Amino acid sequence: MNALKAIGNFLVSGTGRRLLVFLLGFLVTVLNKKLGLDLDAEQLVAEIVLVCGYFTQSAVKEASDAHADAKTALADAAKAAAANPPSP
């Protein structure tokens, strides 16, 4: 039960979602003929571009959120330090 919970938590994370999208895109590309999808080269390239676009967008958003959180924490720390200056 703990293993399923850990897997669920991993898939909820940004890294887990990116890994899942990568695996699905990879499997569709590699198993195209075996699954009977019969996608032509143009459709496969479009799928790969879509996966790469998702990777880029997801990573940029996650980095932007982390940067904003760090700036907020720094501003809060500066505000607290200004409100309580050290005594001489």
Side-chain angles (χ1 to χ4, degrees):
M1 192 65 159
N2 285 338
L4 289 177
K5 188 174 180 180
I7 291 171
N9 288 339
F10 178 70
L11 290 177
V12 171
S13 71
T15 303
R17 286 191 304 267
R18 284 190 292 273
L19 180 63
L20 183 63
V21 168
F22 171 76
L23 289 175
L24 289 175
F26 181 76
L27 289 176
V28 166
T29 304
V30 172
L31 300 176
N32 177 29
K33 300 287 185 197
K34 290 188 184 208
L35 294 175
L37 299 175
D38 294 327
L39 299 173
D40 62 357
E42 189 174 296
Q43 291 170 324
L44 288 174
V45 168
E47 184 222 347
I48 291 169
V49 167
L50 184 66
V51 168
C52 290
Y54 176 78
F55 269 33
T56 303
Q57 174 271 337
S58 178
V60 167
K61 181 190 178 298
E62 197 169 294
S64 174
D65 289 347
H67 182 72
D69 291 344
K71 284 179 72 173
T72 302
L74 183 63
D76 290 344
K79 191 183 292 183
N84 300 320
S87 59

